[in-house]
Amino acid sequence: MFRLLLRRQISPPPTFFTRNLTPTRFFSSTICRANPVPTNVLWQPRAYGKVPSFKESLVKIKPPESFSEKVGRPGMRNQVMFVLAGSWLAFTYAAINTNIETEIWVRELSKTFPEWSAGSITNIDLKRAQNAELIRKLREWYSKLNSAVQDFPTLIKPWISLAYVTVMQPYADMSEGKRLCWKICLLNATVYGFWKIRQLQSGMLHTFMHNPLSGMSFTILTSTFSHKAFLHLLFNCLALESFGSAAYHYLVKEQSRLDPPLLESTANYHFLSFFVSAGLFSGLVSHVVSTKLRYPKLVAQLASPANLPRRTDSWVAAVSASTVAATQKVAVAREAASKILPSLGASGAIYSCVVVTALAFPEAQVALFIPPTYPVPIQWGLCGLVTLDVVGILRGWRFFDHWAHLGGAAFGLAYYNYGPTFWHWMRRTLQTEPRTPALH
């Protein structure tokens, strides 16, 4: 019994041999039943592969992430695509609706005056027909208002009629450009009213104020019509009423000079697309500067060696150093984060109107309403505004979004040179049949 167990426990493995030789054994041919090893299978050493060198091991080691990689980088691709797509859709919508409305008015005038059906209709005829239609509607509303207040006391009815005439008569006397600008101002005032509702503050902060670090794109558009302070709203409305109507007049004048001439019953859609695109572009410039210039400086400031905790030898010193370092980081983060602020307002789009007006009417003069100043040539005033923004950028002023102002000025300069030609091409490309008669 002892001999049998001994054979099973100390039996050595078979020796190396070739295929044609018979394997040799030191003991008798007793086979372990638990793990039998056939004698006709060659025994081969295990292959472990090539051992990498020290240099190859270092190459395979992944380097640690830097501070900028850990905090991430805000992008601008979505914002650029949103601005391009939004501007293109705005001009496409404007060109289609302008063509449709022009065709409708030409058809109405041709029915009313058959002698004009031969193609003798002009833009002035279309404007006069629209003004006559507006006055007719205002008179109808006045008649309905008088009918509605018949049961009111006798002392109140004259005041209601007087209030209607006081408001609507200046509106009827305004040019088409001023009417549109005041409609935009009314929209801005409505958004300003929403800002004053306490329950809507959280939603307004997220939807009507563009934060470059939020990653949202649609706020570039909504923030253009958003004003949180009354003085901001007042100054922008006054500037839009004057410079916006002048830019509107320039767009109308340039449309009649292009060849081949096209009838245009209204320039409302054209000006709206110009205003929206200018606001989008100025907001995009501010976004790019904040994410690609200011934010990297913020990250570099936070990752500087001066803000890292120092090495210490004792536990008490380590706790004290980490507390001081954390306090310094919080202070630096707050100071640097204050340089990337959310923006809102129509100043960028209004700057485009100012530049177009200054280039189209260089003989015009401007003066400040608050505080009152002497009139100066409009180009001098524009140079002063641009200089103020450049100085504000160099000095780091953060009260106004100077980059958005310069972006709006650049858009106005580009649109003055190429905008009317682009608009004419859009209208001809999207023109419906039958084509409107040419101007005479």
Side-chain angles (χ1 to χ4, degrees):
M1 183 68 179
F2 176 78
R3 183 180 179 183
L4 180 61
L5 293 175
L6 182 62
R7 290 175 181 174
R8 292 182 178 179
Q9 293 177 2
I10 65 175
S11 297
T15 60
F16 291 100
F17 54 87
T18 60
R19 294 185 177 181
N20 297 328
L21 299 178
T22 303
T24 58
R25 301 188 61 172
F26 292 97
F27 297 94
S28 60
S29 59
T30 303
I31 300 175
C32 180
R33 299 182 183 276
N35 189 15
V37 180
T39 57
N40 58 350
V41 178
L42 298 179
W43 183 85
Q44 298 179 355
R46 183 177 178 181
Y48 290 95
K50 182 181 179 181
V51 179
S53 62
F54 178 73
K55 183 177 180 180
E56 295 176 348
S57 301
L58 292 179
V59 172
K60 293 181 179 180
I61 296 177
K62 185 178 180 180
E65 293 183 350
S66 61
F67 181 78
S68 60
E69 293 177 348
K70 290 181 180 180
V71 299
R73 297 179 180 178
M76 67 174 189
R77 181 181 60 182
N78 294 338
Q79 287 72 25
V80 172
M81 296 300 296
F82 177 81
V83 170
L84 293 177
S87 300
W88 182 261
L89 289 177
F91 278 101
T92 301
Y93 176 82
I96 292 175
N97 281 273
T98 300
N99 290 338
I100 292 176
E101 189 167 330
T102 301
E103 292 288 346
I104 292 175
W105 278 104
V106 169
R107 193 179 302 114
E108 291 295 328
L109 286 180
S110 299
K111 292 180 180 178
T112 306
F113 304 98
E115 63 274 11
W116 288 357
S117 59
S120 58
I121 299 176
T122 63
N123 283 337
I124 298 178
D125 298 328
L126 296 176
K127 301 295 182 183
R128 290 175 179 174
Q130 288 181 338
N131 288 333
E133 181 66 17
L134 175 62
I135 293 174
R136 185 186 65 81
K137 288 183 179 181
L138 292 178
R139 290 177 178 175
E140 287 183 358
W141 294 347
Y142 183 73
S143 300
K144 292 180 181 179
L145 179 64
N146 290 332
S147 301
V149 299
Q150 286 296 329
D151 298 333
F152 282 52
T154 307
L155 295 176
I156 299 178
K157 289 191 295 184
W159 290 102
I160 297 177
S161 300
L162 179 62
Y164 179 85
V165 174
T166 303
V167 173
M168 291 302 173
Q169 186 62 45
Y171 179 79
D173 296 337
M174 284 182 183
S175 63
E176 192 177 19
K178 282 193 175 183
R179 293 172 194 162
L180 179 60
C181 289
W182 279 112
K183 289 178 182 178
I184 298 176
C185 292
L186 181 61
L187 174 61
N188 294 339
T190 303
V191 178
Y192 169 78
F194 290 153
W195 275 108
K196 299 308 172 182
I197 301 177
R198 184 174 300 177
Q199 292 77 4
L200 301 179
Q201 288 290 322
S202 178
M204 297 296 291
L205 289 173
H206 288 85
T207 56
F208 282 89
M209 181 179 287
H210 180 66
N211 189 345
L213 303 182
S214 65
M216 292 187 294
S217 302
F218 73 94
T219 52
I220 299 179
L221 175 61
T222 56
S223 62
T224 304
F225 302 93
S226 178
H227 299 79
K228 196 175 180 181
F230 176 76
L231 290 179
H232 189 198
L233 172 67
L234 177 63
F235 290 152
N236 279 351
C237 287
L238 292 176
L240 178 61
E241 189 269 341
S242 56
F243 296 106
S245 58
Y248 185 100
H249 179 68
Y250 165 75
L251 297 179
V252 173
K253 184 178 64 173
E254 285 298 311
Q255 179 64 25
S256 60
R257 294 181 179 180
L258 298 176
D259 187 37
L262 294 175
L263 285 178
E264 187 175 74
S265 62
T266 178
N268 286 344
Y269 299 105
H270 186 190
F271 182 81
L272 280 176
S273 59
F274 160 75
F275 187 84
V276 170
S277 300
L280 290 176
F281 183 80
S282 60
L284 178 63
V285 171
S286 176
H287 177 88
V288 171
V289 170
S290 297
T291 55
K292 299 304 178 183
L293 294 181
R294 293 174 181 161
Y295 185 79
K297 291 182 180 180
L298 165 65
V299 174
Q301 187 176 6
L302 293 176
S304 62
N307 298 321
L308 298 178
R310 299 178 180 179
R311 294 183 179 181
T312 55
D313 298 333
S314 62
W315 181 80
V316 177
V319 173
S320 177
S322 61
T323 304
V324 173
T327 305
Q328 291 177 352
K329 276 194 174 183
V330 171
V332 172
R334 289 178 178 177
E335 180 182 358
S338 62
K339 299 179 181 179
I340 303 179
L341 299 175
S343 60
L344 75 168
S347 302
I350 295 174
Y351 253 73
S352 297
C353 298
V354 174
V355 172
V356 169
T357 304
L359 296 177
F361 308 103
E363 70 283 355
Q365 293 185 344
V366 294
L368 293 179
F369 179 72
I370 302 176
T373 59
Y374 290 102
V376 297
I378 186 172
Q379 293 186 350
W380 290 15
L382 177 61
C383 292
L385 291 176
V386 173
T387 303
L388 181 65
D389 289 320
V390 173
V391 173
I393 292 174
L394 297 178
R395 299 289 297 175
W397 297 343
R398 299 295 296 139
F399 188 75
F400 296 107
D401 194 346
H402 300 285
W403 281 108
H405 292 175
L406 295 181
F411 185 88
L413 176 62
Y415 203 84
Y416 173 80
N417 293 312
Y418 308 104
T421 304
F422 171 74
W423 171 251
H424 188 73
W425 174 80
M426 287 287 295
R427 284 201 59 197
R428 284 182 54 82
T429 303
L430 301 174
Q431 195 173 29
T432 57
E433 295 293 343
R435 296 184 180 273
T436 54
L439 293 172
H440 292 277

